[in-house]
Amino acid sequence: MSESTKRPRRSSAPSKYEDPSDSEDIPFAPVEQTPKKQKPRNPNAAKRGRKPKPVYLGAELKVAVDAVLTASRLCQSVFKTLVQDESLAKDDKSPVTVADFGAQTVVNALLLKHFPEDPIVGEEDSEALKQNPVLSERVLNLVNGVVESPITVEEIYRHIDSGNYAGGAQGRFWTLDPIDGTKGFLRGEQYAVCLALVVDGKVELGVIGCPNLPVDLDNPDGERGSLFIATRGHGAFQRTFIDEKLSKIKTAKVKTASETIFCESVESGHSSQTEAAEIAQHLKIAAGTGKRMDSQCKYGVVARGDAGIYLRIPTSDTYEEKIWGHAAGMLIVEEAGGVVTDVEGKPLDFGVGRTLKNNKGVVAATARIHAEVLEAAKKVLRTKPVNGDGQVNGGATGTAAVAKDVLEAAAKEVADAVAEQQQQQQLEVAAMMVEAAVGSTTEETIVDSVMAEPFGAENGGQN
Ligand SMILES: Nc1ncnc2c1ncn2[C@@H]1O[C@H](COP(=O)(O)O)[C@@H](O)[C@H]1OP(=O)(O)O
Ligand SMILES: [Mg+2]
């Protein structure tokens, strides 16, 4: 890519690890752009031995892409063999799988190897894993299946816990969501491995791996596995999991919000779908055209122009978004020509710790329509002032809207739990029947065969 002219926003804190020789083999250039007219090259330049300019954060980019791809592949392989026993309940009841732990281990291990001085803000810690030797063993086997030299279970715990940095406004650190959208992962839908580099509170590099996201949303049955990449000031790119060729991506070319669609969380407990629908109505966006998907895949979808808007409308006044849930996505959208703020129009502040405690929700959109979308969001949310009981938007309509979202989310949790319990009972009965018929079997064998169909590789994690 041309290091040149337009957006010279290089960080004031350049990388200590920048190594041009290392980074030269990163083809970080828009290969599918229409070629622009270029000045004829000075034929003497090469003779004078001018070195190509180093790629901005080239060494970091190379490691980040490698780490995200390795972790994404690990997740894919876990998915193919996922068994029920391998999901735990965290304190907040969100499912955590061996894939989260495995992915955080391999990413952190690679970061520590190449950038040993960089701290990491990662989502997971090893507390729950340490209590469960069976899961620890599974993570160990998984990780040793993808790393160069075998590691021990103690090293796994250490690598996972190296993600315990507090963050802040000074210096540089990485932030990792090993699986964003764990629920999407478990459903066989969208999830993402998200890694970003933050320097002095600003996101400078972002990489997102979306194993189940079609490379071309217009061809949902086509190739899956989209990787999004951006460094500050140098544009946003997409490649597939297989082909290293980079394509420059741009947000949707629209003049008004009514010409586009919006995307939002699948989980109504994560973002108020009722209020998003009201905002869409204000913007004259056709009803029912919203795309619901889990994870930071939404940022990727906006960055490449499949949707013009991503709305994340708070359902609670107390919830703080995590920095790993937005850092990479925000940069990718901004570098693709979009604007990302919270619902009050404030820039997302990545320099105040592990959470975005200065922000509420997210409004991401193509630059041209961002102000219009924000205005509509403010109008809708202004009628629903915070009521101080921990819930936002407590006006007459707001209370009903939020109550509806919260009730829907609760009903879904109950339905999921019931389905899980029923499945467990069916498996136990099946195991007993098989045991009676053939002498002996293990429940795990039954689980394997039962899970093979809905979760198998053949359906590629259909939505
Ligand atoms: N009340 C909430 N509001 C917004 N986001 C939430 C809430 N509870 C959990 N989340 C986050 O939503 C993320 C998934 O986002 P999406 O719905 O877009 O797929 C989860 O990783 C979870 O992050 P975390 O568990 O780190 O708090
Ligand atoms: Mg996660």
Side-chain angles (χ1 to χ4, degrees):
M1 161 184 314
S2 151
E3 278 280 313
S4 63
T5 49
K6 278 188 192 159
R7 284 176 289 171
R9 285 186 280 144
R10 196 184 160 113
S11 158
S12 57
S15 155
K16 277 177 282 184
Y17 306 100
E18 210 159 60
D19 174 1
S21 62
D22 232 3
S23 47
E24 266 172 40
D25 57 342
I26 300 171
F28 200 62
V31 289
E32 285 189 348
Q33 273 183 309
T34 325
K36 288 190 186 124
K37 266 196 175 174
Q38 285 182 341
K39 280 187 184 170
R41 283 200 176 158
N42 178 353
N44 294 325
K47 280 187 213 151
R48 277 188 242 123
R50 260 190 220 159
K51 277 195 182 166
K53 280 190 179 173
V55 174
Y56 177 46
L57 292 174
E60 286 80 353
L61 199 54
K62 187 178 178 188
V63 172
V65 166
D66 190 23
V68 168
L69 273 178
T70 309
S72 299
R73 291 194 179 113
L74 180 144
C75 295
Q76 285 176 311
S77 84
V78 173
F79 187 79
K80 283 183 201 156
T81 54
L82 187 72
V83 293
Q84 205 172 19
D85 283 354
E86 285 171 355
S87 84
L88 289 174
K90 268 204 294 198
D91 289 342
D92 64 0
K93 302 278 186 282
S94 71
V96 177
T97 66
V98 286
D100 291 82
F101 294 120
Q104 181 149 323
T105 304
V106 296
V107 173
N108 286 3
L110 273 167
L111 293 177
L112 290 168
K113 178 176 167 197
H114 292 276
F115 310 111
E117 291 175 34
D118 286 352
I120 304 165
V121 177
E123 179 176 13
E124 308 299 341
D125 66 56
S126 70
E127 198 74 15
L129 192 60
K130 278 178 182 158
Q131 312 304 319
N132 192 326
V134 178
L135 278 191
S136 295
E137 185 69 20
R138 182 79 172 95
V139 174
L140 183 70
N141 291 337
L142 258 177
V143 169
N144 281 334
V146 296
V147 293
E148 279 169 13
S149 29
I151 60 174
T152 64
V153 79
E154 290 305 323
E155 282 173 307
I156 289 198
Y157 298 149
R158 196 164 49 78
H159 285 318
I160 292 174
D161 291 334
S162 65
N164 66 0
Y165 185 60
Q170 258 88 52
R172 67 179 234 165
F173 62 84
W174 296 87
T175 184
L176 167 71
D177 195 337
I179 297 188
D180 184 27
T182 314
K183 289 183 179 174
F185 172 74
L186 292 170
R187 286 196 302 267
E189 297 175 2
Q190 296 309 327
Y191 67 97
V193 177
C194 311
L195 181 62
L197 179 68
V198 181
V199 183
D200 295 340
K202 285 177 90 182
V203 186
E204 293 293 313
L205 176 159
V207 178
I208 299 181
C210 307
N212 283 341
L213 188 66
V215 172
D216 176 3
L217 220 53
D218 290 337
N219 183 13
D221 299 325
E223 184 182 355
R224 283 166 184 247
S226 306
L227 191 78
F228 298 97
I229 302 169
T231 47
R232 184 170 287 279
H234 295 81
F237 299 84
Q238 180 182 349
R239 54 163 277 193
T240 73
F241 275 25
I242 313 282
D243 189 348
E244 290 181 21
K245 191 173 70 180
L246 297 168
S247 309
K248 193 167 173 87
I249 49 173
K250 285 269 165 211
T251 51
K253 282 198 187 83
V254 288
K255 290 186 183 136
T256 70
S258 62
E259 294 169 33
T260 187
I261 58 168
F262 74 96
C263 57
E264 63 179 342
S265 288
V266 174
E267 304 292 329
S268 53
H270 294 177
S271 177
S272 169
Q273 295 170 348
T274 314
E275 284 161 358
E278 284 180 48
I279 294 165
Q281 203 180 359
H282 270 264
L283 293 168
K284 301 194 169 43
I285 294 172
T289 53
K291 269 190 209 306
R292 285 186 186 157
M293 62 173 69
D294 300 283
S295 83
Q296 288 184 63
C297 285
K298 292 186 277 296
Y299 282 110
V301 159
V302 169
R304 71 184 185 188
D306 292 331
I309 305 162
Y310 165 23
L311 294 174
R312 192 173 190 87
I313 310 299
T315 57
S316 139
D317 190 35
T318 50
Y319 179 77
E320 293 176 1
E321 301 284 346
K322 311 301 184 293
I323 62 169
W324 53 77
H326 299 278
M330 183 206 72
L331 185 68
I332 289 163
V333 165
E334 286 185 349
E335 287 298 322
V339 173
V340 182
T341 65
D342 70 4
V343 292
E344 289 159 0
K346 288 196 277 184
L348 303 188
D349 186 351
F350 291 91
V352 286
R354 289 170 68 90
T355 69
L356 294 170
K357 56 169 155 277
N358 288 346
N359 298 108
K360 282 285 161 222
V362 174
V363 173
T366 300
R368 182 138 186 194
I369 61 170
H370 184 271
E372 182 193 357
V373 177
L374 190 62
E375 196 48 43
K378 282 181 178 170
K379 242 184 231 161
V380 167
L381 301 179
R382 207 177 291 140
T383 60
K384 302 161 184 178
V386 176
N387 64 11
D389 66 354
Q391 298 294 314
V392 277
N393 314 334
T397 50
T399 305
V402 171
K404 183 169 174 281
D405 286 324
V406 171
L407 277 176
E408 273 176 14
K412 203 165 165 301
E413 293 274 332
V414 171
D416 285 350
V418 168
E420 213 172 89
Q421 205 184 2
Q422 278 173 349
Q423 192 178 34
Q424 186 59 35
Q425 281 166 356
Q426 282 165 4
L427 290 170
E428 279 163 13
V429 171
M432 273 159 46
M433 285 166 64
V434 175
E435 202 173 338
V438 297
S440 83
T441 186
T442 64
E443 207 175 296
E444 196 168 297
T445 321
I446 304 293
V447 176
D448 267 338
S449 56
V450 172
M451 294 306 243
E453 212 179 300
F455 287 115
E458 304 73 42
N459 74 358
Q462 302 292 323
N463 293 333

